[in-house]
């Protein structure tokens, strides 16, 4: 039981990070359910129908998912704000309907036979993705993404290709969501298109909003708390959506930037140089 | 005469029925500081926005260093060497002063993915950024969050940030707007230094003292057109310019 809970926590952390990496470039995506489904079914086909081992299947489905995100994102990311949100919700709906109509992967009935993922696999994935995000957090690329997120017009006047940066964030998010999907499917052994409902995409965004959108720890905390807490308040199980909604409202009122709102600074002036203090 | 750095030819920009730019011609030459004046709504900022690619021109051409940039995307125009500041200061408010300047460092802006592994260039980037921050007297504030800067410092940081991108043409949109007399005087000194590091500057300004002390040449605009062009004193006393500013016939307003 406890390992189930930890496994789902890990999956949700990965999904929260996949939303976060898009948000870093200023795009809020509700399409993570679709990319998760793609990763799950893509890797599942490779392992079940072609007998691939899980790891390469996982990586290939992540890469394909990123490529699909790039193709979808090129027109979609021209939209901003609420229009982009609607388009990404649309992507999640379309993915589900498409999967329900592909008999090769079982259609509405679902797709089974995937196995091989366990708690260790998801821990390794969380560690690798987390280490990458931490490395990214202190890089010039993080700064460039922040610039795009804060004021895309100024960023492009400073020679930054805003379209490319946004596609990068969206595709990286899709890849991470696909890995989460692949691990999820190979742990559950059996999935159905409705497992990747739009509600899942919404929950994942809420983890990030609760945890904080300014650093990579926020989504980690948000996803962990919101996955584990309901387990320890079993009485509240039926009230989960209500409690969730109230938590969001309380956050928006009292901590609109999330639990962990700080932003990491990406560069400091050289420490060895004599620091001038006060005004000259 | 040498080929101008920037050649604007019959440039037009309409928003529906409104002609923000109505076939304007403008040449900017090497080494020049050109002041752009005109009443509000004359099309000065529209001209800057069209040259930098934020607005799509509806007619005419823009040549920058002999290249047609009329329909190029903004970041490409930035890469070719046009830098700018904004009328309402637009810093990355949540970043530190140093980070603001670093965003413009060209090797990273041009190759964002490579910046992940370009460790050696990170020191170079900081050195470049510090160079311009020192020039604009911001060296002792590098670790401050940009939103905490005073108005004058914020303006100077915006100029420093543009300079880190090493533009050959710098466009300054009302750099003295909202500054007090002291800050304006300091800005005049700063721009005098900055002009030695870029090939040309175009300056939109309403502060006539600043315009007079900095510009080699003035261009007066009204209704999206150039109305007068020439030496400061000449342009500022030109009847057409007075008419544009005062909105009536000059005879009636002579005091």
């Amino acid at each position: 039981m406890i390992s189930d809970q930890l496994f789902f926590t890990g999956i949700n952390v990965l999904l929260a990070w996949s939303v976060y990496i898009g948000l870093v470039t200023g795009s809020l995506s509700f399409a993570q359910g679709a990319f998760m489904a793609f990763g799950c079914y893509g890797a599942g086909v490779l392992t079940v129908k072609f007998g691939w081992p899980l790891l390469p299947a996982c990586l290939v489905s992540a890469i394909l998912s990123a490529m699909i995100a790039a193709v979808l994102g090129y027109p979609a990311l021209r939209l901003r704000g609420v229009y982009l949100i609607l388009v990404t919700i649309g992507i999640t709906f379309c993915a589900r309907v498409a999967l329900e109509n592909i008999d090769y992967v079982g259609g509405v009935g679902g797709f089974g036979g995937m196995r091989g993922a366990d708690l260790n696999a998801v821990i390794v994935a969380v560690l690798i993705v987390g280490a990458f995000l931490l490395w990214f957090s202190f890089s010039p690329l993080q700064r460039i993404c922040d610039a795009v997120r804060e004021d895309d017009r100024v960023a492009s006047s400073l020679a930054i290709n805003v379209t490319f940066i946004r596609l990068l964030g969206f595709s990286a998010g899709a890849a991470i969501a696909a890995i989460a999907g692949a691990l999820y499917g190979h742990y559950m052994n059996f999935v159905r298109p409705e497992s990747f409902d739009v509600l899942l995409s919404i929950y994942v965004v809420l983890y990030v909003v609760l945890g904080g959108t300014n650093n990579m720890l926020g989504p980690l905390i948000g996803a962990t708390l919101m996955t584990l807490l309901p387990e320890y308040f079993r009485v509240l199980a039926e009230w989960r959506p209500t409690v969730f909604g109230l938590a969001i409202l309380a956050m928006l009122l009292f901590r609109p930037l999330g639990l962990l709102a700080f932003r990491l600074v990406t560069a400091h002036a050289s420490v060895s140089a004599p620091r001038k203090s006060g005004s000259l | 005469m040498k080929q101008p750095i920037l050649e604007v030819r019959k440039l037009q920009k309409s928003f529906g029925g409104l002609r923000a730019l109505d076939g304007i011609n403008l040449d900017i030459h090497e080494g020049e500081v050109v002041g752009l004046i005109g009443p509000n709504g004359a099309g000065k900022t529209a001209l800057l926005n069209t040259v930098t690619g934020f607005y799509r021109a509806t007619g005419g051409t823009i040549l920058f260093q002999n290249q047609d940039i009329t329909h190029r995307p903004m970041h490409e125009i930035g890469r070719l060497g046009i830098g700018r500041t904004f009328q309402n200061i637009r810093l990355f408010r949540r970043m530190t002063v140093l980070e603001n300047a670093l965003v413009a460092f060209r090797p990273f802006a041009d190759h964002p993915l490579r910046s992940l592994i370009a460790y050696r260039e990170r020191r170079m980037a900081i050195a470049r950024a510090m160079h311009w921050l020192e020039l604009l007297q911001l060296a002792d504030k590098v670790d401050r969050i940009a939103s905490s800067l005073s108005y004058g410092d914020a303006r100077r940081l915006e100029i420093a940030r543009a300079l880190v991108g090493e533009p050959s043409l710098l466009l300054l949109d009302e750099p003295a707007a909202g500054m007090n007399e002291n800050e304006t005087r300091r800005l005049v000194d700063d721009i005098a230094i900055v002009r030695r590091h870029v090939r040309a500057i175009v300056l939109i300004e309403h502060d006539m003292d600043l315009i007079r002390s900095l510009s080699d040449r003035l261009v007066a605009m009204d209704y999206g057109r150039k109305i007068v062009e020439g030496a400061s004193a000449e342009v500022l006393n030109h009847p057409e310019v007075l008419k544009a500013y005062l909105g009536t016939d000059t005879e009636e307003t002579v005091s």
Side-chain angles (χ1 to χ4, degrees):
Chain A
M1 273 319 280
I2 183 77
S3 86
D4 268 358
Q5 289 165 19
L6 287 177
F7 181 86
F8 292 125
T9 304
I11 294 291
N12 285 336
V13 166
L14 288 174
L15 289 172
W17 275 339
S18 82
V19 169
Y20 165 76
I21 196 88
L23 261 182
V24 166
T25 62
S27 313
L28 179 55
S29 163
F30 284 84
Q32 301 322 97
F35 295 124
M36 190 187 177
F38 185 82
C40 176
Y41 276 82
V45 165
L46 290 174
T47 54
V48 174
K49 309 242 179 192
F50 296 94
W52 285 34
L54 179 60
L55 182 64
C58 208
L59 293 178
V60 167
S61 72
I63 291 167
L64 286 177
S65 180
M67 282 160 69
I68 289 176
V71 173
L72 292 174
Y74 191 72
L77 293 174
R78 288 167 192 269
L79 301 171
R80 307 306 313 153
V82 75
Y83 301 100
L84 177 64
I85 291 174
L86 285 176
V87 167
T88 54
I89 289 177
I91 291 173
T92 300
F93 273 121
C94 290
R96 182 179 159 185
V97 173
L99 286 174
E100 282 176 350
N101 287 288
I102 301 175
D103 290 333
Y104 182 68
V105 289
V108 190
F111 183 59
M114 300 162 282
R115 61 192 79 254
D118 54 10
L119 181 59
N120 292 333
V122 82
I123 289 173
V124 169
V126 166
L127 287 178
I128 291 175
V129 173
F132 173 80
L133 284 178
L134 196 63
W135 178 52
F136 163 80
S137 294
F138 294 101
S139 74
L141 184 56
Q142 166 83 53
R143 199 160 55 224
I144 289 171
C145 293
D146 287 343
V148 170
R149 177 183 182 179
E150 210 171 318
D151 195 331
D152 52 354
R153 205 176 135 193
V154 175
S156 35
S157 85
L158 297 174
I160 292 167
N161 186 345
V162 168
T163 313
F164 175 74
I165 295 294
R166 284 194 178 134
L167 276 179
L168 203 63
F170 194 59
S171 299
I176 297 173
I179 291 172
L183 293 174
Y184 175 79
H186 289 77
Y187 186 80
M188 300 298 283
N189 305 330
F190 181 82
V191 293
R192 282 191 295 188
E194 66 179 48
S195 319
F196 307 102
D197 193 61
V198 71
L199 204 59
L200 179 124
S201 300
I202 294 173
Y203 268 111
V204 174
V205 169
L206 293 185
Y207 299 149
V208 180
V209 172
L210 274 170
T213 59
N214 287 339
N215 59 73
M216 50 93 59
L217 293 176
L220 175 78
I221 299 290
T224 307
L225 283 181
M226 294 320 287
T227 317
L228 290 183
L229 277 188
E231 301 293 336
Y232 291 98
F233 294 96
R234 287 250 160 220
V235 210
L236 292 176
E238 286 175 32
W239 293 86
R240 193 171 169 214
T242 316
V243 172
F244 215 110
L246 288 175
I248 293 288
L249 276 179
M251 286 300 295
L252 289 177
L253 281 173
F254 300 112
R255 281 191 78 93
L257 295 175
L259 288 171
L260 296 177
F262 63 86
R263 174 182 174 276
L264 297 163
V265 174
T266 58
H268 295 278
S270 156
V271 243
S272 56
R275 189 68 62 84
K276 292 163 195 148
S277 59
S279 58
L280 290 169
Chain B
M1 199 171 198
K2 269 185 70 182
Q3 185 84 10
I5 298 182
L6 183 76
E7 290 171 73
V8 172
R9 290 283 167 271
K10 292 182 182 160
L11 193 64
Q12 293 186 355
K13 174 65 199 174
S14 318
F15 299 98
L18 176 77
R19 284 193 189 154
L21 296 176
D22 193 5
I24 190 168
N25 291 307
L26 181 70
D27 282 352
I28 307 294
H29 295 274
E30 176 92 43
E32 268 189 321
V33 175
V34 176
L36 206 53
I37 62 166
N40 286 325
K44 306 180 298 291
T45 299
L47 178 62
L48 249 59
N49 283 340
T50 314
V51 167
T52 52
F54 181 66
Y55 291 163
R56 199 174 285 265
T58 40
T61 51
I62 308 162
L63 293 182
F64 176 64
Q65 296 177 336
N66 277 328
Q67 285 189 67
D68 188 344
I69 58 164
T70 320
H71 299 290
R72 302 284 282 276
M74 272 176 97
H75 69 272
E76 281 183 25
I77 293 172
R79 280 175 197 182
L80 287 172
I82 300 184
R84 72 170 294 182
T85 66
F86 296 82
Q87 194 173 347
N88 44 336
I89 307 175
R90 291 171 78 159
L91 294 173
F92 303 117
R93 296 172 55 83
R94 303 181 322 147
M95 294 187 198
T96 64
V97 169
L98 178 64
E99 286 181 289
N100 262 279
L102 283 170
V103 168
F105 184 65
R106 284 290 302 281
F108 294 161
D110 292 1
H111 307 286
L113 271 181
R114 207 159 72 200
S115 79
L116 272 174
I117 49 168
Y119 282 95
R120 213 176 305 152
E121 276 172 316
R122 290 186 193 182
R123 285 181 153 222
M124 231 158 69
I126 290 175
R128 292 285 336 142
M130 288 304 291
H131 169 76
W132 295 113
L133 291 172
E134 270 160 29
L135 198 80
L136 288 161
Q137 302 146 56
L138 290 163
D140 53 335
K141 303 191 173 86
V142 288
D143 287 330
R144 294 257 301 267
I145 298 294
S147 59
S148 75
L149 289 182
S150 72
Y151 198 84
D153 283 342
R155 282 272 177 215
R156 275 203 299 280
L157 174 54
E158 219 191 10
I159 297 173
R161 183 178 65 184
L163 287 169
V164 172
E166 301 189 4
S168 25
L169 174 64
L170 184 61
L171 312 174
L172 302 174
D173 197 348
E174 293 195 31
M179 281 190 173
N180 62 33
E181 232 169 274
N182 270 332
E183 288 174 323
T184 306
R185 221 172 302 135
R186 227 172 127 185
L187 184 76
V188 172
D189 298 340
D190 290 334
I191 296 178
I193 297 170
V194 165
R195 72 175 296 176
R196 295 202 289 264
H197 299 273
V198 294
R199 292 178 64 188
I201 295 178
V202 176
L203 185 69
I204 295 181
E205 197 41 74
H206 287 302
D207 186 317
M208 290 306 154
D209 290 335
L210 184 139
I211 277 277
R212 241 192 299 264
S213 49
L214 283 174
S215 334
D216 306 313
R217 191 156 67 85
L218 282 192
V219 173
M221 286 179 71
D222 201 15
Y223 297 107
R225 272 175 300 222
K226 182 165 73 187
I227 49 175
V228 190
E229 179 174 13
S232 317
E234 197 183 307
V235 171
L236 290 175
N237 295 316
H238 196 281
E240 285 283 326
V241 176
L242 294 176
K243 193 175 147 193
Y245 269 98
L246 300 171
T248 50
D249 287 326
T250 46
E251 284 117 296
E252 293 169 25
T253 54
V254 166
S255 54

